[in-house]
Amino acid sequence: MADPATYRPAPGEIPDSPGVYRFRDEHGRVIYVGKAKSLRSRLNSYFQDVAGLHQRTQQMVTTAASVQWTVVGTEVEALALEYSWIKEFDPRFNVKYRDDKSYPYLAVTLADRFPRVQVMRGAKRAGTRYFGPYAHAWAIRETVDLLLRVFPVRTCSAGVFKRANQQGRPCLLGYIDKCSAPCVGRITQEDHADLARDFCDFMAGDTAKFTRRLTARMREAAAELDYEQAARLRDDIAALERATERNAVVLADGTDADIFALVGDELEAAVQVFHVRDGRIRGQRGWVVEKVEDVTDAELVEHLLQQVYGDEVLAGPGPGAAEVRESRAVPREVLVPVLPPDVPGVQAWLTGLRGSRVEVRVPQRGDKRELAETVRRNAEHALALHRTRRAGDLTTRSQALREIQEALDLPTAPLRIECYDVSHNQGTYQVASMVVFEDGMARKSEYRQFSIRGPEGEGARDDTAAMHEVITRRFRRYLAERAESGDMDLGQGMPDEDDDEGLRRSGPVDATTGRPQRFAYPPNLVVVDGGPPQVAAAAAALAELGIDDVALCGLAKRLEEVWVPGDEYPVILQRSSEGLYLLQRLRDEAHRFAITAHRKRRSKGMTVSALDSVPGLGPARSAALLKQFGSLKRLKAASVEEIMSVPGMGERTAAAVVAALGGGGGAGDVVAGPESAVASASPSPTVRA
């Protein structure tokens, strides 16, 4: 543990201005991001007597090795920058709200040429308008099925759309009038876009407009004695009413509001939010957060609002951005259980996102207060359910890490474990994987793939040589990035005034992109898939690089034995051991990731076009040549002048094509790759991993 006095800024260095600060550990990894109205006052509070700090704050300042800051103009800028950095660097001591499950949204891809309505999960995309979230995907599909009668927007995938376009025949939805069939030209691009916008308006709560429009058309049809059309419009109105009735009215005044509730203790908290649009509950979300920093409920609410609405800042400009902004992601009212510390700053930030005034307040009476109480009860239930599920999970992971520590005689529990595996097909298309588990859980953003080169650039001679190469390359990068970080000032103070990137250019951060470098911090334990030969190869690679502070072991598949470098006999863990189960999960995940990378590389290398070797000839012009001449055989027989007749082909490129194909090599559009003879020896080659 570090003494905070060793990296405390000198008196007078810290400005008395609003800003954002970052604490970093000895490897340069960002471990905490915070903001302050006065950087001087806030940072000095961290360097008082350590014994007087909160336990979590003590752990943070003693883990850190440096602190830096960036001055901003206003508190609103500090709020936005703090969230941006938390999102980018994922600091371990910052509170992070994680969804207790992946909620489905109803999404309309307005940026597409022909917008599509679909169910989406995960990160939001620019140019797509979202509605929800919903508790169940089936609820979205039932609503969409009702609305397609009135708004027959495309719902098919890109593959189905392309196939229907090529065949000139729509899919089943087109035949039953639940799709306007833009794939076969039944509707123009502009009319289909208008249809998608009407669908979005209805989902956003503007329902009365469409009901009035259909009612007027129904009466006109009845007046003209067109009773069949009037009956269809009547059924359309009924479908809209059924879709609307699915969400009961909870606020009679047509309120647009997000209502938050927070329930927790000193260790963790559960948060629930109801999204109310036009007086109806349109969606619900929940989070459970571990309080890894010393924060009050008011500060938790501020972090929560950053989490929920901050993606609007990071989405940036893009196709359909204007439509996304109109989706009322930020409502007129944000009702919270307690006010955040800086209410004016938060309101100004949300107002900037919405484009009109946003009010943040605590509901005191009436229907909104009653609904807030309902949200609070949901949060209480979510926390109780989380504790029931989490108790065993936390205990199990802690037990697994402790068992591994004891079995391998490690000084501390291996909080970061990296596992490596090699996959190939009879020595070809060699690929290695690196998977990372932190605190016993997979951290997929840290996964890496390696293409095995070998001494001659044609791959390694065997698995042990491949493992030696992978470990060498990974830890050589670590040493290089650590040396680069060490050459820079990891200490105190402001960045140079001329340095626009400021903090981004110090520590294990890429100087070009400003993102953390890939291999700047080491694992506590390296696990290789294999027995003594693979372990010996990995140990030799670490020894050659002079690394002696990283533990190493191997897990052999046959008897699930754990091998340690230099030991004659393996370490045997009980079959029911949680430690062995965690190592098996690591090994299996590394195996899966390596197989996936190998298959991707093999499928890419199995078929290589002879035109790929022509300098200056890309995929578009290669396709144009094959389309013009029909086959590679005819293209080989063509002259420079005939090739120049293809749009986009100049004399130099045409001559290069003739020169490249002049040697011959057999007819056909596609030729086998250099390693395909091995792969094609068997119709179902065995993959080695």
Side-chain angles (χ1 to χ4, degrees), residues 335-410:
L335 307 180
V336 294
V338 293
L339 291 175
D342 182 18
V343 177
V346 172
Q347 288 188 155
W349 179 60
L350 294 176
T351 297
L353 294 180
R354 178 179 171 82
S356 60
R357 178 173 173 76
V358 176
E359 184 180 5
V360 179
R361 64 185 183 87
V362 179
Q364 300 295 335
R365 62 183 65 86
D367 293 341
K368 294 176 183 177
R369 174 65 181 174
E370 291 180 5
L371 184 57
E373 181 62 23
T374 301
V375 182
R376 190 190 65 80
R377 287 196 297 270
N378 276 266
E380 285 182 342
H381 175 72
L383 182 60
L385 184 61
H386 167 77
R387 284 172 174 168
T388 302
R389 294 173 175 173
R390 184 73 170 173
D393 185 46
L394 275 173
T395 304
T396 300
R397 286 193 287 131
S398 300
Q399 180 183 348
L401 294 175
R402 185 174 63 253
E403 289 179 358
I404 294 174
Q405 176 188 354
E406 294 173 354
L408 301 181
D409 195 21
L410 303 179

Side-chain angles (χ1 to χ4, degrees), residues 30-75:
V30 177
I31 62 172
Y32 184 73
V33 174
K35 64 173 179 59
K37 296 180 181 179
S38 170
L39 286 169
R40 178 180 301 169
S41 175
R42 176 61 59 83
L43 288 177
N44 283 336
S45 69
Y46 289 104
F47 296 101
Q48 57 180 293
D49 183 13
V50 175
L53 298 175
H54 190 279
Q55 182 179 357
R56 298 187 187 96
T57 308
Q58 285 183 23
Q59 186 179 3
M60 188 274 289
V61 297
T62 53
T63 303
S66 64
V67 61
Q68 290 185 327
W69 56 84
T70 294
V71 174
V72 297
T74 65
E75 296 168 22

Side-chain angles (χ1 to χ4, degrees), residues 52-108:
L53 298 175
H54 190 279
Q55 182 179 357
R56 298 187 187 96
T57 308
Q58 285 183 23
Q59 186 179 3
M60 188 274 289
V61 297
T62 53
T63 303
S66 64
V67 61
Q68 290 185 327
W69 56 84
T70 294
V71 174
V72 297
T74 65
E75 296 168 22
V76 176
E77 292 179 17
L79 189 73
L81 182 59
E82 179 194 29
Y83 174 74
S84 176
W85 279 354
I86 290 174
K87 196 81 170 177
E88 179 175 353
F89 296 110
D90 193 21
R92 58 178 292 196
F93 287 101
N94 276 97
V95 167
K96 291 177 287 292
Y97 291 83
R98 304 188 188 278
D99 285 315
D100 52 7
K101 63 179 177 178
S102 178
Y103 286 91
Y105 285 82
L106 173 59
V108 185

